[in-house]
Amino acid sequence: QVGGGICPSATVVVRATPSARCWPSAAMAPANLVTARSLVAENIAQEEPLLRSPSRALSQRGGAGDGGGGNERPLRLLGLGVALVAAACAAVAGISSLSTGAGLSSRAVSDDSHFLAEKNIMSPGSSIEATAEQLSQAADAANKKLQADREEVERLEKEAKEKGDKGNMEVKNGTENLKAAKEAQEKAEEMQKNAAEQLKEAQAMLAEAQRQEEKANALQDRGNQAVVDAKGLQSQADTIEQGEAAEAVGAKAAIKAELPALEQEAKYLSDQANAKKNATDAARKSAKEKLDAASDAVDKVDKKLQAAVNESHADADKIAKGMKTAADCNTTEEKSEQTVIKGRADEKQGRSDLEAAKDAASKAKVQQSDVDKEADKVASLEKQAWAKSTAHRVCVDIPGVRLREAGSALEFEPMTVEKDVSSAEKCTQWCLEHEGCAQVIYSAGNKGCYLFEKATKDINEWNELYTSAICGDKSHENILKEAGDDIKGAKPEVPGLVKCSWSGEDCASTKCCNEVSCSWDSKDCKGYSCYENSGSASCQQTAGWTQGQIIGGFREVRKVSPAGDSVTKQGTSLFCFMAVNWKIEEQAVANFAKDKNFGIFECDGQTILTGWEVPKTPWMTWMNADAFVKLWQQVKDHGEYAKHDWTVKVDADTVFFPNMLRMHLDSLKVPQGSRAYVRNVKFSFEFQGALEVFTREAVQLYFDQGGVCADKILKENQRSGENFIMKTCMDALGVDYLEDFAMLRDHTCGADCGAEGDSCNDGWVAAYHAYRDADAWSKCHDEARAAQLKAGHKPEDGGLVADRAAPKILDLPDAAAPEATTAKDLLKQASALNSRLEPDAKAAKKAVEVAEKQIKDAEGEIHDAKAAIAQAKKEASDARHDAADAKKDIAEARAAKAKIDKVVDAESAKKAALSQKEAAAQSVYDAAKAASDDVADKLKRATDAETKEREDIASLRVCMDLPGVRIKGGTPMNITPIVMPADTHTAESCSMWCRQHNSCKSAVFSEGNKGCYLFDQRVEEAQEFTKGFNSSYCGDLDERETLQGIVDKIYKTMP
């Protein structure tokens, strides 16, 4: 097969789709293949025509090909490996073609026979057997010669291995050529064997095809040529290796011859340098000292001179500054005088304006006095009216309640008297004094007093921040008291909080604990117990062994009892929120609900918080407790929850109906003010996070005290879900619970959570979970709404609290007491008088305000004028003093400058003289430095010579290291370097120091004291084997095997 489109020399490429094959000639190729082209190797060797060119082969055979004519071009070897492989491939290709000879022409066979005869390989008319025998004998002779050559190559190769490191790379290349020659020889032998087998096969086929005889001869010819080529390659390899060996020996001899000269040069240069070094160093030191002294003197003078110059410049600056200051002071004094003149004029005008303003104020006060007298009459009438009202009216207070607002609040503003409603008592008194006021609501939170013309017994909420009252005629006092008693009778009895202890707290007084310990999946929980031991008590996990005496257990978790018909129920105003992770599919559901105004957007108040991705537990619930603690903090910061009766947390994938939830809450009849949450499924711990419902009071308690839940409960249950943490925290804080297992249908826990298949067809359910894409969510919503209508529940049922019916108004008869009529008449009189008085009062008030402003402005003008005069006088005085100081400074500066200028002249002269001395010292120093540099150069050259000597010696020697061995030596050698200090602080540098000295035969390095010990003999015995030592044997390169044998011998004695 053609390799990369290239055939060996003396072959042609014969191509047939889809492959191509190399043949010795086109004439020998099968007839059904078409000759593509002939490849001729260029630049073939001139020495011997080992191979025939394709052009000559074709012309001799009379074949048609790319080549023609009779000009045979000499062949030249392209390289040992290329020519050998080419010959081998040609032989193999020819031999393998024997089996395909059916298509060869008789003319080609004839041509090949002529060629064999021409080369004296086969005489005309001789038999194939004789020719084969002749070829076999020739091959045997060649094999013997090749065997002898191979033995000679092995001998040379062994000698090459013993050569120095410097010639190793060149020897390696020769060895590789030898290896290639061996491989070629083996291939030639294999081809010879194949040729013999093929010849036998040719003899058997002679009776059937005479033409194959000629083909066998041609193939034998090629095999013979391959043997001859191999011999030639072997000879060339021998020549190369001998040349490389000679070069290596010559290099080694040259290095050894160079070593004495290098050592002599290093010693000579070192002796010369050392002889001059002391003298040159002393001269250079002395010159440097004199130069430094001269330079120091010049520097001192120069510094003194520079200081004097600087001082002179500073004095000049002072003179210029003083002159400018004096000029500025004169200008300032002139401006100050002008300012004083203007200030006196302004002061005079201000006094005139003040007199006019005081006259206007006097007239305005007279007018105001007349108005005040009339206003006193109005106030008297107003107070008389309030007294008449107070005499026949009564109010019934109901502390701790906020009644519903019976209409819009009225101000009942006074005409002249200041209104004070800053407390519950004053607020009620203000209502009592006004005939039209029937109901009071006072809020201590914002100090708000709200008054109404109508009254109601309907209650908004019970809260200690509020006080309400109903007022009316004393003749209706029984009706008012009865209404008050009805309101007070509706107050729910909400049980107080029970204080229990946390772990780490003393539970001796509480005898109950807040915490629980739960299994890994939060399904099996046990409350802590209060253990008393050695006089103290603490809450600990309830254990099966004795930790002391149990004096109490987990706190009682109470269920809220329904309120009676007359008791105030918790309202149904809802604040709803949900957390949405906008990076996952639930964001589409949240946007759909918002666009349709469904779900939480039907609550009385709502907000959306941004959530984030959290990990899952091994049982595939979300570990989102810590995240929701942060979200609940956002709810607290939002503050909207406090305005509503219930706080509802809804998952984004929950189909939620607020109107249905209000119906559920209303049916629970929760006493108003209860601290409670709703258990919503009969599964696990009965609290699913899809819909969490809490009273406002429960949420407020969590915000007030829930921080301890994060420290205690969340810390111990990091892998739990938010719903478990929230429910457990509510229980621990003493929040009571409600039960409504028909409120939620959750498909994530199947039938245990009320779910039946995937339907949303229950008309009483308030929420369905979980629907994580908008289409499924919408389908469930529509199905549930249809079921609600079928059950008789309309969307408006349980609607917004703001849309609920108006409160029932308390029916109170009109007051018939004469005091009421009198109070009204008095108020009419006061109002009429106040109406007449009001324009005059406004005018008088305006006049007083204008007059007072004019007086203030005039006094301000006078004050400003006096201040300007004082400031101008001060500036003039300061300017005069500054001018005097400036003149004094100018005189002093001029005297100082004259004095310092003399110093400058003297120091300049001194500097010039010292500079001449410094220049002379510099010349002496330069000469000394040149001599010293020459010594340093000789030392460097000596160092270079010594370094090269060491490197050359090391290149001809080799060391074998024995780590962890201390060999026996003798008396250590004292090898002193010529110039370079010896660096033997490591095992490697110690071994190298020995290798660089021909006299050193072995070395020992001690890690303990960093000692390097060299010996001029080799003791082939170990003194000890220990990690703290490294030994080396060193010698010439041709001693490598000897040294290796010593190393192997010592390591064999290692215990």
Side-chain angles (χ1 to χ4, degrees), residues 498-502 507 510-514 530 539 552-555:
V498 176
K499 178 175 174 53
C500 293
S501 303
W502 296 93
C507 58
T510 63
K511 293 183 173 56
C512 60
C513 300
N514 293 324
C530 179
C539 288
F554 183 64
R555 65 157 56 249

Side-chain angles (χ1 to χ4, degrees), residues 126-135:
S126 63
S127 65
I128 188 68
E129 291 86 352
T131 302
E133 181 64 26
Q134 182 182 354
L135 290 172

Side-chain angles (χ1 to χ4, degrees), residues 9 41-52 72-80 83 229 233 236:
S9 299
E42 298 295 337
N43 302 319
I44 305 300
Q46 301 284 341
E47 293 83 357
E48 183 180 356
L50 299 177
L51 298 175
R52 292 168 294 162
E72 179 179 357
R73 289 183 293 177
L75 307 180
R76 182 168 64 86
L77 295 177
L78 297 178
L80 296 176
D229 289 344
L233 291 173
Q236 186 167 349

